[in-house]
Amino acid sequence: MTLTACGIRPTPILTGAEAPTVSSHSLTIYLVTAGRDGLVRRTRDHTGTVDITTAMNLLLAGPNDEEKKLGLVTELPATSSKAIPVLDVIVMPEDVAPPTTKWGAFQVHCTALASRAKVAGVAPVSDEYCP
């Protein structure tokens, strides 16, 4: 048996850049029903880095187009400011006053509970209000 080569010289191992990766996570936020008589659990996909404030910042951004079509609302003031994490507590932006309505407080509490966080300035409420 005879072996032959194709004439290509051996080369060292060529390394390339890191393979691209995409991280997609599901986050839970709570919005108020159109009748303002309860909360609705909404799951949103989020691509990228997720920390304990991501869900709260999605809540602060308000309902997306699909949720608006469903009549869902928020009882939190609209803001483009972001919440920030301090240890295991979420600090809301300065331009966002603590919720003054029952459903607004429940939105914040239930969204924080779903992301296993605490929110500064919002008293805990019974989990029975988090659907």
Side-chain angles (χ1 to χ4, degrees), residues 45-65:
D45 290 331
H46 180 79
T47 301
T49 304
V50 174
D51 59 22
I52 64 170
T53 59
T54 305
M56 195 59 59
N57 285 326
L58 288 175
L59 178 64
L60 288 172
N64 62 25
D65 291 337

Side-chain angles (χ1 to χ4, degrees), residues 14-86:
L14 302 174
T15 59
E18 292 290 321
T21 59
V22 175
S23 178
S24 181
H25 304 277
S26 293
L27 298 169
T28 299
I29 65 169
Y30 286 83
L31 297 173
V32 181
T33 62
R36 296 187 186 262
D37 57 356
L39 294 182
V40 175
R41 180 186 183 110
R42 296 294 297 173
T43 301
R44 292 188 185 173
D45 290 331
H46 180 79
T47 301
T49 304
V50 174
D51 59 22
I52 64 170
T53 59
T54 305
M56 195 59 59
N57 285 326
L58 288 175
L59 178 64
L60 288 172
N64 62 25
D65 291 337
E66 177 188 343
E67 292 160 346
K68 287 176 186 174
K69 287 179 186 175
L70 294 171
L72 302 178
V73 296
T74 182
E75 292 198 355
L76 301 176
T79 183
S80 60
S81 299
K82 302 290 185 191
I84 58 169
V86 177

